[in-house]
Amino acid sequence: MDKRVFTEKFTGRLPKDIKSATPQQLHNALGDTIMEMYSERWNNSRQKHLSGRRAAYLSMEFLVGRAVYDNLVCLGIYHEVDEVFRQLGVSLADLEVIEDAALGNGGLGRLAACFLDSAATLGLPLDGYGIRYKYGLFRQSIVDGFQKEDIDDWTRYGDPWSKRCDEDTVLVEYNGQTVKAVPYDMPVFGCKTDNVGTLRLWQAEPVKEFDFDIFNQQNYLEASKEKIFAEDISRVLYPNDDTNEGKKLRLKQQYFFSCASLTDIIRKHKAVFGGLDDLAEHITIQLNDTHPVISIPELIRQLVDNEGWSFDKALDTAKKVFNYTNHTVMQEALEKWDCSLVDELLPRIYSIIIQISETLIADMYASGVPKEKTDRIRIIKDGRIHMADMACYASSHINGVAEIHTQILKDTVLADWFSLYPERFRNETNGITQRRWLALCNPRLAEQITELLEGDGWMTDLSRLKELEKYADDKEVLSRFVREKNYNKTLLTHYIYNKEGIDLSPDLIFDIQIKRLHEYKRQLLNAFSILWIYYGIKDGSIKNFRPTAFIFGAKSAPGYRRAKAIIKYINEVGRVVSSDPDTRDLIKVVFVQNYNVSYAEKLVAAADISEQISTAGTEASGTGNMKLMLNGAVTLGTYDGANIEIVQEAGEENNYIFGARVEELKEIVPEYDSRSVFAGNSMIRRVVSSLIDGTVSDGGSGDFRELYTALLDGASWHEPDHYYLLGDMRSYVEAKLKAISDYSNDRAAFARKQWLNMCNAGKFSSDRTIADYAENIWKL
Ligand code: 26Q
């Protein structure tokens, strides 16, 4: 980068008195400057992507977070820009107040963002397509221990990292409504390459802004109706990431970006290659879960209705173009749409889905598949459209996101499909980008690694970390590693003090659980274990307890009552231990507010212990586990998702694994009786009883009693303790206390474990994941 040119352009966009500029002014000026300086690079990449075979990643969510620092890191200009800022008497740190683009719920959305980063870095022609929500994931505050939601108006002060492209506007038609889809493009800068990817996010706008005829009749609301109804489509991100609510607006969102993206893809293909006959040779589309699966009938619709293709030929092309990634084994999360809803909103799409469904059935009969099996995999069953079945039928490749997850798909969730088309199935273990999740979030550790490796090659080849294993017994290296960890912990304590008003010391062990709030992720088990430790300290059964901070970050879906009750419970446990003088210096419980990507960056850099405690067989992969590992935390976790691969890489002896495994649960569950575990262990009884014995208060809502009943008697839709909290509780507390006493008894030996985790995180770079998709699925 030419620093002089940069400074000139940057200052030209600022007020004369630069020191008086607000962070937002600095941010906009910086964003505009970079966008201008790199626009040619971006244009060249766009052209290049279109000239050959390319891949499109379709996702309802891209959880990109804050762009500014990441872009500077990926462009390799962070230090130069930092210097310019300082010379001008301002600071890059001022931009900490710039809000995240929280256009996703959690893992699935963040994965999409990591994938774009990796593809750009690998020089691959991959572009993302999604929705430009006006409001991202809600902002969370904790009031009196309860979660409160507020809108996330992330573009309030502008959005310098997006470029509106009116010329590529698409019209999207629903039954009785037509809206404009206007693309906003975000650049995705690769690291150490000129390649720049594009994230194209569609915004819904009315075809007609305002109706003067209606206005003149003094019907003011009516005059703006079309605008409001159009803008509703991209107004807000649905905050659920578990249950499949069959809401009409959600379906409209899915069709909105599917239709717009496919129109864009087809238009560009025609512009470059003339016709469409070789479409499948030039484009491959990855469907991020079933959310964009309506793209399948939509592609067929466009080919049949606009291009005059036969249905069979169009379906055949669709089968070549699409690939489907599954991210969940939870039955309740599998998407199904009522036929009547789809027929009402999208009658032509519905008729095509029927045709796909009928073709599938005919195919099955032709190849002698038994009727019972055909009935199980039908796309239309009991009046609903099963999106996962449509995805499996019309995709070339189907993948899970960790070894165990893919195995579970083959064995259970998609077993019928696996038996029909085994060659379609692949595992693609998830990954994370080391640019954001090490270079950006942990510059001190990054610097140490760069020094030891005599270069920053790890930034584009994370397997290089393995070379650092040889320092595992090097006192100097490890003591610096511990120093940097302590530095990160200190930074986090300041941040938490400012944000949450809680005073922590970096001398505490930092035990961290950060992820969406879900019953299956078992934050409640973590809270129980804290209460167990509290009672243990009080009654003397736990001695010499090393002071520990138990830190939680999690958002609950606003309508998920149990998850919200668990947030309140965690905060109540915090209140109990902090109001007792015997324990207040030994146990700190912090539930951070508004956990998001930027908060995660600070937390992962400071963690000692990474809590990954989902019931075996429930977490598809997890990616937070990888972020914490890469930053030198040991995993306290179950044999679930990518945890299994993490300990395969880093050694079981360097982590703390507990609890029933999937195979064991298969045996246990049919006979499991949570009441008998409850009866058989006085500490479990005491801890669980806190829900009803007055130890903690749910503010009179009855929600804690409901949690208690769900654990011991079950709810109408679930057997008792469905996620096996009581069953795993003893081994969990044992493992946790072991981790804490290991840290306390021999900090150096514990640091060695932490170091070895970092050294063995190479596999979990999303660069590895994306290289594999590119080679084996996309054939780029
Ligand atoms: C579906 C229908 C209606 C409304 C919302 C949804 C919906 C939205 C988001 C369903 C699921 C999600 C998100 C799921 C998700 O984040 N899954 C996680 O994906 C990660 C990346 O593969 C894995 O690491 C996690 O294990 C998995 O939980």
Side-chain angles (χ1 to χ4, degrees), residues 430-475:
N430 282 166
I432 57 169
T433 165
Q434 67 266 36
R435 271 75 64 186
R436 186 180 288 263
W437 298 110
L438 182 56
L440 184 162
C441 75
N442 199 342
R444 297 277 182 127
L445 178 57
E447 179 56 32
Q448 186 185 11
I449 292 168
T450 299
E451 284 175 25
L452 290 172
L453 291 176
E454 294 174 23
D456 65 358
W458 58 271
M459 284 189 63
T460 49
D461 178 7
L462 200 63
S463 68
R464 298 284 311 275
L465 295 184
K466 187 86 183 165
E467 295 166 34
L468 301 174
E469 269 195 326
K470 62 174 182 246
Y471 298 109
D473 296 300
D474 184 318
K475 281 214 178 74

Side-chain angles (χ1 to χ4, degrees), residues 61 107-108 240-241 250 291 327 335 401 430 520 619-622:
E61 309 191 0
L108 165 147
N240 311 326
D241 68 345
R250 169 98 181 166
H291 316 152
H327 296 266
E335 280 195 299
V401 291
N430 282 166
Y520 83 80
E619 188 71 273
S621 160

Side-chain angles (χ1 to χ4, degrees), residues 60-61 105-112 115 237-247 250 254 288-291 325-328 332-337 400-401 405 430 516 518 520-521 618-626 641-642:
M60 286 279 271
E61 309 191 0
N105 273 287
L108 165 147
R110 184 53 233 177
L111 184 75
F115 279 5
L237 168 76
Y238 271 89
N240 311 326
D241 68 345
D242 56 330
T243 41
N244 161 47
E245 281 180 292
K247 289 271 170 19
R250 169 98 181 166
Q254 296 189 343
N288 200 20
D289 216 290
T290 54
H291 316 152
T325 305
N326 173 289
H327 296 266
T328 184
E332 60 268 34
L334 292 180
E335 280 195 299
K336 295 155 199 126
W337 292 106
V401 291
H405 169 59
N430 282 166
R516 283 298 288 259
H518 269 289
Y520 83 80
K521 294 177 189 283
T618 61
E619 188 71 273
S621 160
T623 46
N625 46 4
M626 302 169 185

Side-chain angles (χ1 to χ4, degrees), residues 445-686:
L445 178 57
E447 179 56 32
Q448 186 185 11
I449 292 168
T450 299
E451 284 175 25
L452 290 172
L453 291 176
E454 294 174 23
D456 65 358
W458 58 271
M459 284 189 63
T460 49
D461 178 7
L462 200 63
S463 68
R464 298 284 311 275
L465 295 184
K466 187 86 183 165
E467 295 166 34
L468 301 174
E469 269 195 326
K470 62 174 182 246
Y471 298 109
D473 296 300
D474 184 318
K475 281 214 178 74
E476 242 170 81
V477 169
L478 281 214
S479 73
R480 170 155 177 209
F481 172 69
V482 169
R483 241 187 359 262
E484 309 304 14
K485 178 63 81 180
N486 283 338
Y487 176 83
N488 295 332
K489 287 165 80 169
T490 306
L491 288 186
L492 180 64
T493 60
H494 295 154
Y495 192 76
I496 287 181
Y497 185 74
N498 286 329
K499 290 270 167 185
E500 325 296 343
I502 296 176
D503 209 353
L504 296 179
S505 154
D507 296 334
L508 296 157
I509 298 173
F510 282 18
D511 172 307
I512 300 191
Q513 186 174 23
I514 41 178
K515 50 186 78 257
R516 283 298 288 259
L517 216 135
H518 269 289
E519 288 167 272
Y520 83 80
K521 294 177 189 283
R522 300 200 293 192
Q523 282 97 346
L524 181 57
L525 177 61
N526 188 348
F528 282 153
S529 79
I530 298 168
L531 204 57
W532 178 314
I533 291 167
Y534 169 72
Y535 289 140
I537 293 171
K538 295 289 285 181
D539 71 17
S541 59
I542 296 174
K543 294 184 196 55
N544 305 319
F545 181 75
R546 167 85 185 214
T548 300
F550 298 99
I551 304 175
F552 294 82
K555 286 179 180 175
S556 158
Y560 188 173
R561 266 192 66 185
R562 278 199 196 150
K564 289 188 133 176
I566 292 167
I567 292 179
K568 173 65 173 167
Y569 182 76
I570 293 165
N571 286 312
E572 282 290 296
V573 169
R575 190 185 50 70
V576 169
V577 300
S578 70
S579 45
D580 188 329
D582 292 346
T583 54
R584 68 162 58 120
D585 297 327
L586 295 176
I587 305 176
K588 299 275 182 185
V589 178
V590 183
F591 192 103
V592 306
Q593 303 177 82
N594 201 39
Y595 171 62
N596 60 9
V597 171
S598 290
Y599 220 137
E601 290 165 8
K602 298 176 164 49
L603 289 159
V604 300
D608 293 308
I609 297 174
S610 159
E611 296 263 0
Q612 309 299 336
I613 61 175
S614 53
T615 316
T618 61
E619 188 71 273
S621 160
T623 46
N625 46 4
M626 302 169 185
K627 294 163 199 165
L628 286 148
M629 174 200 202
L630 178 59
N631 285 273
V634 303
T635 297
L636 169 56
T638 48
Y639 270 108
D640 197 21
N643 299 352
I644 298 174
E645 291 160 72
I646 284 176
V647 299
Q648 265 166 17
E649 295 295 305
E652 204 159 327
E653 68 284 5
N654 296 315
N655 291 288
Y656 297 84
I657 302 303
F658 70 93
R661 304 180 181 210
V662 171
E663 314 81 67
E664 292 165 344
L665 282 173
K666 275 189 209 141
E667 307 274 301
I668 300 168
V669 162
E671 265 134 62
Y672 177 54
D673 176 7
S674 60
R675 283 263 173 208
S676 111
V677 179
F678 184 79
N681 182 306
S682 60
M683 200 55 125
I684 293 182
R685 209 156 55 240
R686 185 154 178 219

